[in-house]
Every structure is written in C-alpha cells, then in structure tokens.
C-alpha cells in the first residue's frame, strides 16, 4: 500500500499537521499533561484545558521550548497521538513520509532531534525530511524562494521570533530571538502584578493581549480581569487599561525592530535593494496584534507585507514541498545527509 505524506510544524504553543492531498488536518496545542510522573493524562487541546487548574500530581508542559524540541520523549507522545487522530498508522504501512520544519538558527544537534522524533517512533520509516522553517513559511505565502532576488521574512511565534534573509533557495542570514508572544504574556503578568498588586495566570494575560494589545497606544480601552490580591491573598478583580498592555509589549517590538535593522546593515547592498523593493514579509501568531504594519513601516521605512493566515504559513509551505517534492528536493535534508551524520 502506498504511503502517505505528513508535514509537521512543531511550534512552542501549537502543533499543526498537514497531510498530502487533505490539507491542514490537525491544529492543536503542543502540550502534554503527565500524571504521577509517568502516565499521560491529556494531550493537545485537552491538556491546555487543564492548564493552570491541575492538582500537584499532574504536570503540564510544552515539549518545544525556545523553538526547539526540549523534551523528545513527551514530544514523541504528543506527535504520535495527534498523528493517530488524522489516520496515520504504523505497522505494515511503513513507507509514510514525514516532513518537519525546524528553525534555521539552531545547532545541528537540535536539528537532529527532529529526525529522532520520527526515527524513534512507532512509524519505523527512513522517509524523514527536515526543512528550514523560514523556507517553508515563505513557500506557504506563495513567495518564490528560488528567485535570485533577496527577501526578508520575520516569523513572530509564541516562543521565538526568527528573522531571515533568503535568496536562491538558501538562507543568507538568520537570527533567532528567544522571545515572542509568550514573552509578552509574561510581561503583562508582571506589569499587572506591579501596578495593580494582582497575580494573574498566563491564560488571562493571553486574553488581555488579544483584546487590548495594540502596536499604537492611546485607544483608551479597558478589560476587567480576575486573579489573586498580592496583599490579602484573596480573589480580586481590577480594570486593566490598554496602555498597560502596550507597555508590556513595546520592549519586545523594539528588539524585533533593532534586530531587523542590524541585519539590514550587514547584508550586501544588492540584497538590501531587493528587500526595499519587495518589502519585508511577516508571519506567525504574534503578527495578529493590530497596527503592527504601521509600526514596522514607520520604524523601518520599508513596505511591510503581512500573512492573511499567519498561524498556518509554515504548515502550508510543508504542503507545497510535499506536493512538489522533486522541485524542492534541494530545500530538504534527509537522515542520510552528511550535515546530520
């Protein structure tokens, strides 16, 4: 029986699986709940529902941290469970192919973990291919990565932000910042604690970011949130203003702008001219913050192009590579490639 093709985008907060011929078949939280240190209590969205509500006997974690696989055993459990959901079987059907997106600016050991994830699983296949994530994301946005003209892609995810310059199917420079949407959430928690003496959880911070987050200050919106009073220890609620959320996210946005400028200063002038002509492409969940286009255009003096569905860019790009494997063979690394031996 002919094997199937699966593309895996393993994000810090979300995992997306693209199946050849079927499109995006799985989109869940990349989380796992472990009970009594060894039993799997929940995976994916079910684990996220339990997050910040569990007893001491259950520990919830993200197997991917700072953009790379930090806990390969738990990542294996999550991947196998979610692949099973979309009908991926093991056993006699051993010629399935797996395409995984990995950050560019990481070590070879960290990239090797993506191979090991499938190679040490129940699927028992050598058809494992790793694609550098910026290339997959660009293909997902219909960008011609094989063009002789250079382009810049900024992928603003939950755990990391990767800024990459691409030309002729290769990466000229890539910088991985270990900060993203989760960094903003942590800053919101800290600012609410300092200014309102209220302790809130990550989910509440995420809700504040989504409802009040704005790259341009001054809208005057507020949201009531609930938490624990830092002084009395009792439940309490306060009105949080949007300017607090802006203060929490502005340092992150400043670092992104600063890094983009630094990269533009180091690349050859001809590539800079290409980027000025085509603009800078933005993708990733954090780009959903309103008015980012205005902020980045004004700060960088370059046209900005934002993905319509930024959370799906990489998964869609994996689909493009799977559907046109012969055209993009040079973009993929297999287990046999010397770079990973």
């Amino acid at each position: 029986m002919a094997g199937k093709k699966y593309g895996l985008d393993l994000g810090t907060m979300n995992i997306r699986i693209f199946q050849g011929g079927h499109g995006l078949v799985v989109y869940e939280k990349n989380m796992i709940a472990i009970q009594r240190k060894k039993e799997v209590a929940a995976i994916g969205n079910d684990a996220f529902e339990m997050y910040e509500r569990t007893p001491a006997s259950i520990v919830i974690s993200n197997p991917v941290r700072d953009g790379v696989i930090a806990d390969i055993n738990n990542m294996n459990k999550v991947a196998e469970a979610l692949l099973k959901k979309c009908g991926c079987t093991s056993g006699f059907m051993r010629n399935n192919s797996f395409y995984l997106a990995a950050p560019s600016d990481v070590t070879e050991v960290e990239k090797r973990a993506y191979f090991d994830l499938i190679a040490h699983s129940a699927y028992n296949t050598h058809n494992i291919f790793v694609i550098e994530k910026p290339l997959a994301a660009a293909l997902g946005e219909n960008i011609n990565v094989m063009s002789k003209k250079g382009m810049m892609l900024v992928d603003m995810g939950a755990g990391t932000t990767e800024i990459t310059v691409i030309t002729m199917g290769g990466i000229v420079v890539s910088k991985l910042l270990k900060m993203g949407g989760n960094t903003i959430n942590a800053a919101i928690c800290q600012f609410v604690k300092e200014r309102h003496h209220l302790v809130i959880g990550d989910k509440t911070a995420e809700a504040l970011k989504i409802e009040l987050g704005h790259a341009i200050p001054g809208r005057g919106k507020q949201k009531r949130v609930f938490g624990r009073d830092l002084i009395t220890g009792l439940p309490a609620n306060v009105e949080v203003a949007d300017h607090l959320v802006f203060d929490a996210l502005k340092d992150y946005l400043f670092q992104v702008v600063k890094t983009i400028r630094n990269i533009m200063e180091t690349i050859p002038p001809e590539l800079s001219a290409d980027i000025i002509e085509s603009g800078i492409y933005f993708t990733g969940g954090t780009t959903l913050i309103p008015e980012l286009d205005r902020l980045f255009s004004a700060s960088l003096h370059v046209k900005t192009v934002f993905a319509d569905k930024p959370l799906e860019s990489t998964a869609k790009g994996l689909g493009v590579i799977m559907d046109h494997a012969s055209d993009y063979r040079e973009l993929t690394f297999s287990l046999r490639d010397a770079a990973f031996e």
Side-chain angles (χ1 to χ4, degrees):
M1 186 178 292
K4 299 177 181 178
K5 294 181 179 180
Y6 297 91
L8 281 73
D9 175 18
L10 310 177
T12 301
M13 283 301 298
N14 299 295
I15 178 170
R16 289 159 284 261
I17 300 176
F18 197 101
Q19 183 177 344
H22 295 273
L24 191 63
V25 292
V26 170
Y27 184 173
E28 294 208 24
K29 294 296 181 182
N30 195 357
M31 304 184 86
I32 185 170
I34 300 295
Q35 189 170 13
R36 301 185 186 91
K37 297 184 179 180
K38 57 181 181 181
E39 301 173 13
V40 177
I43 279 173
N45 291 342
D46 292 336
F48 182 70
E49 287 297 319
M50 300 166 61
Y51 184 54
E52 298 184 324
R53 290 187 172 92
T54 58
S57 60
I58 298 178
V59 176
I60 298 179
S61 64
N62 299 86
V64 172
R65 290 191 290 275
D66 294 334
V68 296
I69 300 173
D71 186 340
I72 195 164
N73 290 329
N74 280 338
M75 188 68 255
N76 185 279
K77 293 182 176 72
V78 173
E80 286 194 6
L82 296 181
L83 281 166
K84 187 177 180 181
K85 271 191 174 184
C86 59
C88 183
T89 56
S90 56
F92 71 92
M93 198 171 179
R94 298 186 177 190
N95 54 348
N96 289 334
S97 298
F98 297 88
Y99 294 74
L100 299 97
S104 175
D105 185 24
V106 295
T107 67
E108 299 301 334
V109 172
E110 289 168 331
K111 284 185 181 178
R112 177 67 189 231
Y114 288 82
F115 287 105
D116 293 340
L117 175 68
I118 301 299
H120 297 166
S121 70
Y123 298 103
N124 191 23
T125 180
H126 292 291
N127 300 325
I128 310 167
F129 305 93
V130 165
I131 300 94
E132 291 178 310
K133 192 170 184 177
L135 295 174
L139 285 170
E141 291 306 312
N142 299 315
I143 298 169
N144 181 12
V145 299
M146 309 305 291
S147 170
K148 293 180 181 179
K149 288 196 171 184
M151 55 81 60
M152 177 180 282
L153 180 83
V154 182
D155 188 347
M156 302 170 67
T160 61
T161 297
E162 190 165 18
I163 303 163
T164 311
V165 176
I166 299 168
T167 186
M168 292 182 281
I171 291 177
V172 178
V173 61
S174 184
K175 177 66 176 176
L176 187 71
L177 303 178
K178 294 182 178 179
M179 54 176 60
N182 291 348
T183 308
I184 299 172
N185 292 349
I188 291 172
C189 289
Q190 185 62 31
F191 273 66
V192 172
K193 183 177 179 180
E194 291 175 356
R195 298 184 186 181
H196 296 287
H197 307 292
L198 189 75
V199 179
I200 61 172
D202 287 343
K203 284 186 176 179
T204 301
E206 177 76 10
L208 282 171
K209 180 179 69 179
I210 291 172
E211 294 191 33
L212 301 183
H214 213 263
I216 307 296
R219 293 188 304 161
K221 293 182 66 176
Q222 292 185 326
K223 177 178 172 62
R224 182 167 296 277
V225 297
F226 296 81
R228 186 181 73 248
D229 189 285
L230 191 62
I231 299 172
T232 67
L234 299 175
N237 64 88
V238 299
E239 289 279 351
V240 175
D242 60 358
H243 65 76
L244 181 148
V245 178
F246 174 77
D247 289 343
L249 64 86
K250 66 181 181 181
D251 285 345
Y252 162 71
L253 297 179
F254 172 78
Q255 286 298 324
V256 174
V257 170
K258 180 181 176 182
T259 305
I260 292 173
R261 284 177 172 170
N262 289 341
I263 290 175
M264 291 287 284
E265 290 171 0
T266 59
I267 60 176
E270 291 298 326
L271 287 178
S272 294
D274 292 339
I275 292 169
I276 291 171
E277 180 182 348
S278 62
I280 300 175
Y281 294 85
F282 289 83
T283 188
T286 305
T287 62
L288 293 172
I289 294 173
E291 300 291 354
L292 277 183
D293 54 343
R294 286 179 57 195
L295 173 70
F296 286 132
S297 294
S299 302
L300 300 167
H301 306 291
V302 179
K303 179 179 70 174
T304 57
V305 183
F306 280 69
D308 292 331
K309 296 182 178 179
L311 290 164
E312 300 178 10
S313 299
T314 301
K316 286 163 59 180
L318 291 173
V320 172
I321 292 172
M322 290 189 295
D323 290 341
H324 304 88
S326 59
D327 295 335
Y328 297 112
R329 191 180 306 278
E330 61 187 81
L331 302 185
T332 65
F333 298 94
S334 71
L335 194 59
R336 300 179 184 88
D337 287 326
F340 295 96
E341 290 179 355

